[in-house]
Amino acid sequence: MAVKKKHHHFPSELRSGPISEDWVIIATGRAKRPETFKKETKTEFVEDPKTCPFCHMEKEKDKLILVFSKGKKTEVSDDLGGWTTLVAPNKYPALIFSPSLHAEKVGPYKRMDGAGYHEVVITRDHTRSMGQFSVEEVKEVMDVYHERYLDLMNEPFIQYVSIFHNHGKEAGASIYHPHSQIIAAPVIDPDLNRAVLIAQEHYKKHKQIVYKEMNEWEMKNPDRIVFQNKEFLVLCPFASKAAFEMIISPKRHLPYFERTTNEERKYLAEAMQAALSKLYKGLNNPAYNFYLHTAPCDGKDYYFYQWHFTIIPKTAAIAGFELATGIEISTIEPEVAAEFLRKQ
Ligand SMILES: [Zn+2]
């Protein structure tokens, strides 16, 4: 079945089938020939600072979205001299800005234009990664996430803003220089959607917020706690999907990341810095992904949800069993992982 392409300018389209109903992004505009998927063609990994695009952002000055210098938002100056964190549009966006959003049914399936936003958050140093950052430097990154979130959530059609960070080639980074990505999409992330529905059901049945119950239990039984401060808890989850997986969540019940205060983000930065530096030291700088899950910004009330960051070190490749069953295999008990990380 051929899907007619009416909107040629989009780099992608969103599709969903009637069984899983999960949305996927299909890159339709990047003109990748099937032959380029052959095993011998290795994906490029930009490592040399001389060719690193993020080391030469002065060339992109006109396109920059946000510039921070030593903890403060600044204007884009002529020389860009003192920048410490930048936000720029992604050069190879998964979704692009559009004044309208076209959605349709194609037989039993649904499709939608790949409309949205795709940005990169770049920190200055080519080699120093977030696991080596000070609390103040991590705070700046959290503030940049927060600021971009507030802007993107109010754009037309945007239902969800995803913020994630890939560290290391094994974790899917294509550029060595530390950077995070922000994708604002017209649909809700399927994983999050599932979690939201479960949390809602739980609230209906038990009149309890499931995330609050979990955090209260964890604080009474601190085997899996890696780090905590006044506002945040870092723990290895009871049912970890990967070895050394960590969740960073607020102790106070908060569904929406965008509603965190500056004071709360100071504690968040301390918790994030502790988690990432423990990974860096304890596992000798492993590849990892971290991502934010927060209540969708589609205007509905998600009081039963709680925002959090998940950090997943790339300690094993996804194998057939995980793909076939959806059951992840973690090779260490989270209680043992937490004990190890606490000591780092
Ligand atoms: Zn660089």
Side-chain angles (χ1 to χ4, degrees), residues 259-276:
R259 295 185 194 169
T260 55
T261 63
N262 185 52
E263 195 61 19
E264 277 163 347
R265 286 196 303 284
K266 283 182 193 164
Y267 288 99
L268 166 65
E270 188 190 40
M272 184 63 107
Q273 196 270 348
L276 294 177

Side-chain angles (χ1 to χ4, degrees), residues 56 61 119 210 221 248:
H56 303 97
K61 215 175 58 193
E119 302 178 351
V210 66
N221 303 275
I248 301 174

Side-chain angles (χ1 to χ4, degrees), residues 53-54 57 60 63-67 83 85-93 117-123 141 144-145 148 152 162-166 174-175 177-184:
F54 299 161
M57 288 309 286
E60 311 289 326
K63 295 179 200 138
L64 298 178
I65 297 163
L66 186 62
V67 182
W83 74 273
T85 308
L86 286 180
V87 183
N90 194 309
K91 273 204 163 164
Y92 305 99
Y117 298 83
H118 192 168
E119 302 178 351
V120 277
V121 177
I122 307 154
T123 48
V141 175
V144 168
Y145 290 170
R148 288 313 299 143
L152 291 167
S162 169
I163 299 178
F164 59 98
H165 183 94
N166 305 330
S174 58
I175 294 173
H177 193 125
H179 64 285
S180 313
Q181 299 182 59
I182 304 177
I183 294 184

Side-chain angles (χ1 to χ4, degrees), residues 47-49 52-56 124-127 175-178:
E47 209 166 351
D48 188 351
C52 173
F54 299 161
C55 279
H56 303 97
R124 181 82 191 234
D125 200 281
H126 183 76
T127 43
I175 294 173
Y176 173 83
H177 193 125

Side-chain angles (χ1 to χ4, degrees), residues 21-246:
E21 293 193 325
D22 288 352
W23 286 98
V24 298
I25 294 178
I26 309 275
T28 47
R30 260 192 242 176
K32 229 182 183 186
R33 283 171 294 115
E35 296 74 40
T36 59
F37 286 88
K38 275 189 189 168
K39 210 177 155 205
E40 57 268 31
T41 336
K42 296 216 168 63
T43 47
E44 204 194 344
F45 185 65
V46 183
E47 209 166 351
D48 188 351
K50 281 189 209 114
T51 53
C52 173
F54 299 161
C55 279
H56 303 97
M57 288 309 286
E58 57 284 357
K59 287 183 201 159
E60 311 289 326
K61 215 175 58 193
D62 303 340
K63 295 179 200 138
L64 298 178
I65 297 163
L66 186 62
V67 182
F68 264 61
S69 177
K70 296 192 184 81
K72 285 200 179 74
K73 189 175 163 177
T74 59
E75 291 304 315
V76 182
S77 61
D78 285 337
D79 59 353
L80 264 187
W83 74 273
T84 42
T85 308
L86 286 180
V87 183
N90 194 309
K91 273 204 163 164
Y92 305 99
L95 302 171
I96 56 162
F97 166 77
S98 168
S100 64
L101 177 70
H102 179 74
E104 65 189 336
K105 282 210 75 160
V106 185
Y109 309 110
K110 284 186 236 170
R111 74 164 290 284
M112 206 188 274
D113 292 337
Y117 298 83
H118 192 168
E119 302 178 351
V120 277
V121 177
I122 307 154
T123 48
R124 181 82 191 234
D125 200 281
H126 183 76
T127 43
R128 277 177 74 246
S129 65
M130 282 181 76
Q132 296 158 281
F133 278 19
S134 66
V135 174
E136 290 70 29
E137 288 169 307
V138 175
K139 167 75 167 41
E140 178 168 308
V141 175
M142 297 302 126
D143 286 347
V144 168
Y145 290 170
H146 184 249
E147 174 120 9
R148 288 313 299 143
Y149 194 102
L150 285 173
D151 259 8
L152 291 167
M153 67 175 278
N154 291 313
E155 292 295 335
F157 339 115
I158 298 306
Q159 295 201 358
Y160 188 63
V161 180
S162 169
I163 299 178
F164 59 98
H165 183 94
N166 305 330
H167 173 69
K169 203 176 170 181
E170 301 82 2
S174 58
I175 294 173
Y176 173 83
H177 193 125
H179 64 285
S180 313
Q181 299 182 59
I182 304 177
I183 294 184
V187 295
I188 299 169
D189 156 354
D191 263 1
L192 177 80
N193 208 22
R194 210 165 285 133
V196 161
L197 289 174
I198 291 166
Q200 188 173 25
E201 273 309 300
H202 190 92
Y203 189 82
K204 272 188 204 155
K205 249 190 231 162
H206 308 287
K207 294 282 163 275
Q208 286 279 351
I209 288 160
V210 66
Y211 293 95
K212 222 175 138 206
E213 271 181 75
M214 284 195 286
N215 273 0
E216 277 164 10
W217 169 266
E218 296 293 337
M219 281 189 276
K220 269 184 240 149
N221 303 275
D223 289 12
R224 283 175 295 277
I225 295 181
V226 174
F227 177 87
Q228 62 177 313
N229 57 29
K230 192 173 135 239
E231 302 284 351
F232 284 85
L233 203 54
V234 182
L235 53 88
C236 293
F238 180 79
S240 289
K241 288 185 172 180
F244 298 96
E245 176 180 342
M246 282 183 268

